[in-house]
C-alpha cells in the first residue's frame, strides 16, 4: 500500500502522540491547531507537555520532515487522505461532555472536503458518547461539504487507549484496534492503514458499528476506574483488620487469570483527564437514557472519598493539623507526567490547608502546573530533602521512581517528626515501621 498522508486535528496528548507515532513510522503527517504558540513550539520540536521520550521523537520527525504543525486546517485536510479528529471533549458542569471543539473541527474539515474531489476518510479519535459520530459529526460533515457520507467521503470512530506517561509506547504497541465504521469502505480503508502501520504486529482488530465503538472506550475507562475503586474499598477494609495488607491481597487475587494483576494498586484514588471525566460522562449519558448506573455512581463516590484517608491518617498521628508542616511528595495525577488535571494532590492539599496546615510540596515535573492551581498558598520545594526539612508529617501522593528509591533515613534525618503516610504503597512496611511512625493505605495497624 502506498503510504497514506495523515492529518490530525488537535495537539493534546492523543493528537500529538498519535501524530508522532505515524511520523516515526514514515507517514507524512500534519497536525493542526489554532494556537500559534503551540504550532511554533511543535515545529521547533518542543512538545507543549512533558511525556517521556516525546521531545527526542518529536525533534527527529520534525527534522526529517515527516511531521509539521499548521494553523490552516483546510490545508491539512486537502494535502492528506485521512483526517483524525483528536480534539478535547471536556466535561460540562452536569458531567456530560462538551462537543464544541468536535463541532468546530468537523465544520472546518467539511469545508475543506467541499474543495476536494478525491475520497477522504474522517476518523473520530476523541472520546465521544454513543451516537455522536452518527448524529453530530456525520450531519455536519455532509452539510458543510455538500457531499455524501459513504460514497464521497468515509467516516469511522476509532477510540484511543494510550496512557499518559507511556503514550508513545502505547500508540506503537496497542492491545487491540477498535474500528467503528459508518460503511464497509470506511472500515476497510482504516483497517488497511493499520495493517500497513503495524505489519506482522497488527493487534487483534474489532470492526463494529459507530455507537458500539464509542461505548467500548467508555466501558474500558469505567472498568479501569471500577477496578481501582474496588481495590481501594478492600484497602479500606484491610485498615480495620490488624496486620492485613492490601498489597498482598491484590497480589493474591491478581494471580487469578480471570482478574489479572493490573490496576489493582490501592492508593489515593484515580485522577487525570480521562477516568474521572469518562465515568462522570457515562453516568450523565445513562441518566439521559433513563437508566441509573448505580455501580458507576458508587465507583465515583469511593474515589472522591479516598483522598480523605490520607488527611485522616495525618490528623490521627498529629492530633491536630493547625500550624503543622506537612510535606507532600508528588503532585501530578500519576508518575511520568506533569499533568495536574484531577490530581489527588488537589483535594488532599485543599483539605490540609482548610485545617490550617502549612504545606511544602515537591514534584519532579509538575511544580509549574501546580503553581497555577495553588498559587502562593503552599511552598514549592526543589528537592525531596528541601520538602522534608523540619516537616511534622509526610504524605506520598504520587509514586515517582525518585520517591520509591528513598530510604527511612531520608525521612528521619530531615523531618522534625518522622511520620510518614504512604498513600501509594511504595515502601516496605516492615523496614519503614522499624525506623519511622509509618502508616499506609490498606495496611492494618
Ligand atoms: C487512562 C486509560 O488507562 C487509557 O487506556 C486511556 O486511553 C486514557 O485514560 C484516556 O482515556 O485517554 P491515563 O488517564 O493516562 O489513562 O492514566 P491511567 O494509567 O489509567 O491512571 C489513571 C489514574 O488511576 C491515575 O491517577 C493513577 O494513579 C490511578 N491508578 C491507576 C490507581 O490508583 N491504581 C492503579 O492500579 C492504576
Amino acid at each position: 500500500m502506498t503510504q497514506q498522508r495523515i492529518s490530525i486535528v488537535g495537539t493534546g496528548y492523543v493528537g500529538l502522540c498519535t501524530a508522532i507515532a505515524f511520523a516515526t513510522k514514515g507517514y507524512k503527517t500534519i497536525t493542526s491547531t489554532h494556537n500559534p504558540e503551540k504550532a511554533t513550539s511543535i515545529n521547533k520540536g518542543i512538545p507543549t507537555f512533558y511525556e517521556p521520550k516525546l521531545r527526542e521523537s518529536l525533534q527527529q520527525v520534525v527534522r526529517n520532515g515527516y511531521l509539521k504543525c499548521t494553523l490552516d486546517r483546510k490545508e491539512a485536510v486537502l494535502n492528506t487522505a485521512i483526517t483524525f479528529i483528536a480534539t478535547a471533549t471536556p466535561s460540562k458542569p452536569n458531567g456530560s461532555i462538551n462537543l464544541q471543539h468536535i463541532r468546530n473541527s468537523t465544520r472546518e474539515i467539511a469545508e475543506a472536503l467541499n474543495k476536494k474531489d478525491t475520497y477522504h476518510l474522517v476518523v473520530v479519535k476523541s472520546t465521544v458518547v454513543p451516537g455522536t459520530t452518527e448524529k453530530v459529526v456525520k450531519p455536519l460533515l455532509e452539510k458543510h461539504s455538500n457531499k455524501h457520507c459513504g460514497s464521497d467521503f468515509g467516516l469511522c470512530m476509532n477510540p484511543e487507549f494510550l496512557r499518559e506517561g507511556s503514550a508513545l509506547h502505547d500508540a506503537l504497541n496497542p492491545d487491540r484496534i477498535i474500528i467503528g465504521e459508518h460503511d464497509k469502505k470506511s472500515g476497510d480503508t482504516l483497517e488497511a492503514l493499520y495493517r500497513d502501520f503495524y505489519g506482522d504486529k497488527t493487534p487483534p482488530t474489532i470492526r463494529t458499528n459507530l455507537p458500539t465503538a464509542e461505548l467500548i472506550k467508555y466501558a474500558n475507562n469505567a472498568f479501569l476506574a471500577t477496578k481501582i475503586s474496588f481495590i481501594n474499598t478492600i484497602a479500606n477494609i484491610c485498615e480495620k483488620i490488624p496486620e492485613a495488607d492490601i498489597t498482598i491481597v491484590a497480589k493474591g487475587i491478581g494471580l487469578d487469570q480471570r482478574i489479572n494483576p493490573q490496576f489493582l494498586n490501592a492508593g489515593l484514588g484515580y485522577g487525570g483527564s480521562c477516568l474521572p471525566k469518562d465515568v462522570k460522562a457515562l453516568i450523565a449519558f445513562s441518566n439521559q437514557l433513563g437508566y441509573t448506573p448505580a455501580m458507576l455512581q458508587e465507583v465515583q463516590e469511593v474515589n472522591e472519598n479516598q483522598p480523605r484517608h490520607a488527611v485522616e491518617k495525618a490528623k490521627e498521628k498529629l492530633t491536630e493539623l493547625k500550624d503543622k508542616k506537612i510535606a507532600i511528595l508528588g503532585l501530578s495525577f500519576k508518575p511520568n507526567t506533569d499533568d495536574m488535571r484531577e490530581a489527588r494532590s488537589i483535594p488532599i492539599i485543599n483539605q490540609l490547608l482548610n485545617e490550617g496546615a502549612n504545606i511544602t510540596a515537591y514534584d519532579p515535573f509538575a511544580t509549574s502546573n501546580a503553581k497555577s492551581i495553588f498559587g502562593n498558598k503552599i511552598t514549592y520545594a526543589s528537592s525531596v530533602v528541601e520538602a522534608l526539612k523540619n516537616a511534622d508529617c509526610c504524605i506520598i501522593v504520587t509514586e515517582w521512581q525518585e520517591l520509591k528509591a528513598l530510604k527511612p533515613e531520608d525521612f528521619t534525618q530531615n523531618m522534625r517528626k518522622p511520620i510518614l503516610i504512604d498513600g501509594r504503597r511504595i515502601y516496605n512496611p516492615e523496614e519503614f515501621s522499624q525506623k519511622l511512625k509509618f502508616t499506609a493505605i490498606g495496611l492494618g495497624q
Side-chain angles (χ1 to χ4, degrees):
M1 172 181 175
T2 336
Q3 287 208 329
Q4 303 273 25
R5 285 172 168 254
I6 311 285
S7 50
I8 298 186
V9 179
T11 50
Y13 274 94
V14 172
L16 189 59
C17 295
T18 309
I20 294 175
F22 276 118
T24 304
K25 290 265 194 151
Y27 294 81
K28 288 270 187 185
T29 307
I30 308 176
T31 57
S32 62
T33 171
H34 286 318
N35 181 331
E37 281 159 28
K38 261 192 175 185
T40 308
S41 176
I42 292 169
N43 285 327
K44 281 187 189 156
I46 305 167
T48 44
F49 49 86
Y50 172 74
E51 177 71 29
K53 301 203 180 112
L54 201 68
R55 195 175 172 130
E56 298 90 303
S57 308
L58 178 59
Q59 278 175 353
Q60 198 180 349
V61 292
V62 167
R63 210 179 304 125
N64 62 24
Y66 281 99
L67 186 138
K68 72 167 186 171
C69 187
T70 175
L71 296 170
D72 185 347
R73 205 146 272 168
K74 282 189 196 136
E75 175 215 316
V77 174
L78 291 175
N79 289 308
T80 56
I82 302 180
T83 299
F84 287 88
I85 301 178
T87 47
T89 48
S91 299
K92 288 189 197 163
N94 69 357
S96 65
I97 59 168
N98 181 340
L99 290 176
Q100 190 200 334
H101 299 306
I102 298 271
R103 283 201 180 91
N104 293 345
S105 337
T106 303
R107 206 173 303 120
E108 288 174 285
I109 294 168
E111 283 162 10
L113 291 182
N114 179 263
K115 307 265 173 293
K116 202 173 171 183
D117 349 297
T118 47
Y119 181 83
H120 193 94
L121 178 66
V122 179
V123 183
V124 177
K125 231 184 204 314
S126 306
T127 301
V128 291
V129 293
T132 307
T133 307
E134 181 72 42
K135 294 189 198 135
V136 177
V137 176
K138 179 181 158 184
L140 279 173
L141 284 173
E142 290 193 319
K143 180 176 167 200
H144 295 277
S145 69
N146 218 0
K147 290 192 168 179
H148 190 66
C149 184
S151 49
D152 302 327
F153 65 88
L155 181 61
C156 285
M157 199 281 151
N158 169 225
E160 180 53 61
F161 300 99
L162 58 79
R163 295 160 296 175
E164 291 184 23
S166 53
L168 267 190
H169 171 271
D170 291 353
L172 293 168
N173 305 278
D175 290 342
R176 73 315 207 176
I177 294 168
I178 306 294
I179 297 177
E181 59 198 50
H182 170 272
D183 57 276
K184 186 170 178 310
K185 184 176 175 188
S186 301
D188 286 348
T189 309
L190 189 57
E191 186 172 357
L193 169 72
Y194 281 130
R195 291 211 173 273
D196 182 59
F197 183 96
Y198 292 109
D200 295 347
K201 294 198 178 128
T202 304
T205 301
I206 292 180
R207 285 179 60 172
T208 180
N209 56 37
L210 297 170
T212 305
E214 290 165 325
L215 186 57
I216 287 172
K217 170 68 191 211
Y218 279 100
N220 209 89
N221 273 356
F223 188 74
L224 295 174
T226 304
K227 265 188 121 172
I228 299 169
S229 282
F230 171 80
I231 203 68
N232 283 338
T233 300
I234 305 294
N236 297 341
I237 298 173
C238 276
E239 289 177 19
K240 309 272 180 217
I241 308 170
E243 293 182 46
D245 185 340
I246 190 61
T247 62
I248 316 291
V249 175
K251 205 170 177 183
I253 64 171
L255 286 170
D256 185 326
Q257 289 183 20
R258 293 168 302 175
I259 296 176
N260 110 21
Q262 296 191 55
F263 272 66
L264 288 182
N265 296 322
L268 299 170
Y270 57 81
S273 65
C274 305
L275 264 48
K277 169 178 81 80
D278 292 351
V279 172
K280 235 187 258 167
L282 188 52
I283 294 172
F285 176 70
S286 307
N287 284 336
Q288 277 167 11
L289 299 178
Y291 174 68
T292 306
M295 195 187 76
L296 296 180
Q297 288 173 334
E298 195 54 38
V299 164
Q300 192 171 262
E301 200 168 320
V302 168
N303 198 56
E304 275 162 19
N305 285 329
Q306 201 61 12
R308 288 192 204 134
H309 286 248
V311 179
E312 276 157 22
K313 284 180 192 303
K315 240 175 171 174
E316 221 174 87
K317 296 279 175 200
L318 290 165
T319 323
E320 74 158 342
L321 297 174
K322 191 160 177 5
D323 297 329
K324 297 290 181 338
K325 183 184 168 190
I326 315 270
I328 297 290
L329 296 186
L331 291 166
S332 57
F333 87 93
K334 69 179 209 178
N336 297 326
T337 175
D338 60 357
D339 197 339
M340 284 293 296
R341 285 176 289 178
E342 298 280 337
R344 300 297 77 197
S345 58
I346 302 171
I348 293 172
I349 290 177
N350 283 338
Q351 213 181 328
L352 291 168
L353 288 172
N354 282 343
E355 303 263 354
N358 298 319
I359 310 292
T360 303
Y362 168 73
D363 189 285
F365 282 91
T367 304
S368 132
N369 286 340
K371 281 183 181 165
S372 61
I373 296 171
F374 303 114
N376 57 10
K377 285 193 274 183
I378 68 172
T379 305
Y380 303 91
S382 53
S383 68
V384 170
V385 170
E386 195 184 318
L388 291 178
K389 266 290 168 247
N390 300 323
D392 297 298
C393 173
C394 169
I395 305 176
I396 304 292
V397 178
T398 316
E399 65 276 32
W400 285 95
Q401 197 53 42
E402 179 185 351
L403 305 181
K404 287 184 179 173
L406 296 176
K407 296 277 166 258
E409 293 68 31
D410 293 308
F411 297 92
T412 50
Q413 285 167 9
N414 291 298
M415 296 174 72
R416 182 163 37 215
K417 289 192 194 131
I419 298 172
L420 174 60
I421 298 165
D422 184 354
R424 292 290 176 185
R425 298 308 310 267
I426 58 176
Y427 300 123
N428 177 342
E430 273 175 35
E431 184 193 356
F432 276 69
S433 298
Q434 280 170 15
K435 298 184 180 152
L436 306 157
K437 285 193 180 152
F438 179 81
T439 167
I441 291 290
L443 187 67
Q445 295 295 311

